Amino acid sequence: MVDAPELEAFRLEARGWLQANLPESIRDNPSQVALAMVDGAPQPKDVLLWRSRLGARGWGVPTWPTRYGGGGLTASQASVLKDEMARIGAINPIGGLGVMMFGPTLLEYGNPEQLERHIPPIAKGQLRWCQGFSEPGAGSDLASLQMTALDEGDSFRVTGQKVWTTGAQHAHWCFCLVRTDKGPSKHDGISFLMIDMASPGVEVRPIILISGESPFCETFFTDVLVPKANLVGPRGGGWQVAKRLLQHERQNTSVGSSPIGVASTANIGDLARSHVGVDADNQLVDRDLRHRMAEHQMQARTFALTHARAEAESRANSGPSNTASIMKNAGGQVRAERAELTIELMGNEGLYWSEEVRGWLRGKSGAIAGGSAEIQNNIIAKRILGLPDATDTQPPKAR
Ligand SMILES: Cc1cc2nc3c(=O)[nH]c(=O)nc-3n(C[C@H](O)[C@H](O)[C@H](O)COP(=O)(O)OP(=O)(O)OC[C@H]3O[C@@H](n4cnc5c(N)ncnc54)[C@H](O)[C@@H]3O)c2cc1C
């Protein structure tokens, strides 16, 4: 627990450090950091400098332990740091799946050697991770996965296919669910493995979308030898580790995983004023739109505050819980509404291939990635409300 004077001293320390270390060019143009965080994007010199300075300080992952390259801050110090970064217009350049979901999961389930090896490069933003969970026959019903890992002494021989693997073509490592054993239920016998993407037998095929972009891939594994030291958690007990990781994923994606999407829609009020026009009282001339905009802004603000509280609670307690499913669905609805309003108020300009239109389209996937909205509703019904299963027979357990 840090008391108020200590927190104030920390605020001054953070403010001074940010003043001294945030390169000028980024202060003038913070969105260049968000742009550089897109997989495969060019990395301006000052973004690299900013990433290395923040990484060395540990403040890219402020609450992770200092021993592994984190900032070692308390939840309230981290929240002060967030405020100070917003104040100076600094965007955290250290992110991705390693920070959002794999790192926190490894910190909980990894052994000391795994932590020493894998956490510091994530904390410094040096290595990228991808998620090998979904397969062609295993999405919502993830426990049906078929990728096999045969025991070969010190290693597993891994063969199978993953799909929708975000950023696999840029990733150094993949955290993967594989089947090592047969168990009484399909949830038993699944193991959680870390696979080096440079291993012989790994083949990545980017899926090209109608936009020409390839945010995700098909990833093939053929006789890939993976050291047993790369097993996270107990052999055959990977389902528990995976469920924990999905809670981290859902908590994070509830606020939107795309820094660009968030930045481009943050000033919806300004966008409305410039496109729709204002009256003598500086109010939007379209009363109906004004009313819906106000309702939306209230919803968005309520969600942001609830999310901040849930995040602080989960940092102070034992991490996220099944309530992450509520936050994922609620956040997705707020973002979808904002994207609809944005396109509506842009009028004819909303018909062009603009960043806003791309954000609106991209936003549709938020209700699917990390487990669909329907699956979150199932989790909320069963695990939070305690409602019975929809069928009398044993249905497939949702991810
Ligand atoms: C942008 C994006 C990025 C992704 N990135 C990754 C990644 O990096 N790694 C990875 O492993 N996966 C990734 N995924 C895959 C994602 O996890 C799956 O798409 C998701 O879990 C749904 O699985 P599915 O596509 O097989 O759909 P299906 O499981 O076939 O579902 C189809 C429809 O049926 C509904 N449905 C299914 N079962 C039930 C049920 N029991 N009750 C009610 N409705 C149900 C679903 O809600 C959905 O609407 C990504 C997906 C997207 C969109």
Side-chain angles (χ1 to χ4, degrees):
M1 196 55 191
V2 180
D3 62 23
E6 262 185 85
L7 213 52
E8 205 40 45
F10 176 73
R11 182 182 297 283
L12 295 179
E13 180 193 338
R15 192 172 293 177
W17 189 88
L18 289 166
Q19 276 291 354
N21 288 284
L22 181 67
E24 286 291 340
S25 73
I26 291 177
R27 252 173 260 195
D28 297 339
N29 180 14
S31 65
Q32 67 170 308
V33 178
L35 285 166
M37 286 177 77
V38 174
D39 281 332
Q43 303 291 303
K45 187 170 66 57
D46 277 355
V47 173
L48 293 175
L49 179 65
W50 172 226
R51 183 177 292 132
S52 76
R53 285 178 177 169
L54 198 73
R57 192 74 170 81
W59 283 356
V61 283
T63 57
W64 291 14
T66 45
R67 175 168 178 198
Y68 302 119
L73 302 184
T74 62
S76 36
Q77 285 175 321
S79 147
V80 165
L81 177 64
K82 202 169 166 186
D83 289 349
E84 288 303 316
M85 286 180 67
R87 187 173 173 274
I88 197 172
I91 290 181
N92 185 349
I94 296 175
L97 273 52
V99 170
M100 274 165 56
M101 48 187 109
F102 177 65
T105 310
L106 193 69
L107 281 168
E108 196 172 332
Y109 287 93
N111 61 37
E113 293 75 39
Q114 292 171 339
L115 300 182
E116 296 278 359
R117 177 170 181 199
H118 294 289
I119 296 292
I122 298 176
K124 291 184 169 49
Q126 292 166 337
L127 292 185
R128 285 173 185 267
W129 284 77
C130 64
Q131 177 186 39
F133 279 20
S134 305
E135 296 182 3
S140 301
D141 185 13
L142 181 61
S144 293
L145 64 94
Q146 296 296 321
M147 189 153 117
T148 51
L150 297 177
D151 193 326
E152 299 239 330
D154 289 342
S155 305
F156 290 112
R157 183 178 290 275
V158 176
T159 299
Q161 184 197 340
K162 295 293 175 182
V163 72
W164 313 125
T165 336
T166 301
Q169 69 273 54
H170 306 290
H172 304 94
W173 283 85
C174 181
F175 52 90
C176 232
L177 291 182
V178 296
R179 197 164 281 290
T180 42
D181 305 274
K182 280 213 161 68
S185 91
K186 62 185 172 183
H187 300 89
D188 302 309
I190 291 175
S191 295
F192 192 109
L193 265 190
M194 301 179 286
I195 303 183
D196 184 341
M197 292 295 279
S199 312
V202 178
E203 188 197 342
V204 176
R205 293 186 201 159
I207 298 171
I208 301 169
L209 302 186
I210 194 169
S211 62
E213 292 170 4
S214 296
F216 35 45
C217 306
E218 292 179 290
T219 311
F220 297 86
F221 299 82
T222 309
D223 290 327
V224 179
L225 285 178
V226 181
K228 281 189 176 161
N230 290 6
L231 188 65
V232 179
R235 173 171 170 166
W239 186 248
Q240 285 307 321
V241 187
K243 280 203 300 188
R244 192 72 178 134
L245 183 135
L246 287 168
Q247 288 177 342
H248 284 290
E249 175 172 11
R250 287 163 188 161
Q251 172 137 324
N252 274 293
T253 51
S254 66
V255 278
S257 54
S258 157
I260 294 177
V262 172
S264 68
T265 55
N267 51 4
I268 192 171
D270 292 343
L271 203 64
R273 274 187 283 279
S274 70
H275 280 81
V276 180
V278 290
D279 60 20
D281 296 326
N282 200 28
Q283 296 200 325
L284 284 187
V285 286
D286 182 334
R287 283 179 58 132
D288 172 58
L289 183 63
R290 190 166 84 211
H291 180 74
R292 286 185 292 126
M293 288 272 299
E295 287 221 323
H296 168 70
Q297 298 286 54
M298 284 190 284
Q299 288 276 8
R301 183 81 186 125
T302 310
F303 173 74
L305 290 172
T306 309
H307 184 272
R309 200 181 66 227
E311 207 180 41
E313 276 170 10
S314 79
R315 272 202 217 113
N317 301 318
S318 52
S321 64
N322 285 323
T323 56
S325 295
I326 303 179
M327 300 309 289
K328 180 176 189 284
N329 276 4
Q333 279 165 15
V334 168
R335 278 201 310 284
E337 189 180 72
R338 177 167 288 226
E340 292 288 343
L341 276 170
T342 302
I343 299 300
E344 179 186 338
L345 63 87
M346 285 172 71
N348 289 343
E349 281 184 42
L351 298 172
Y352 295 112
W353 191 229
S354 60
E355 177 52 36
E356 283 78 10
V357 172
R358 286 198 291 276
W360 173 72
L361 283 170
R362 226 180 0 245
K364 306 273 176 211
S365 67
I368 305 169
S372 70
E374 289 80 7
I375 294 303
Q376 303 320 301
N377 283 340
N378 285 349
I379 293 172
I380 294 164
K382 279 194 261 180
R383 313 251 162 80
I384 299 177
L385 300 176
L387 298 176
D389 281 337
T391 57
D392 289 331
T393 54
Q394 279 259 289
K397 271 195 189 164
R399 61 188 300 186

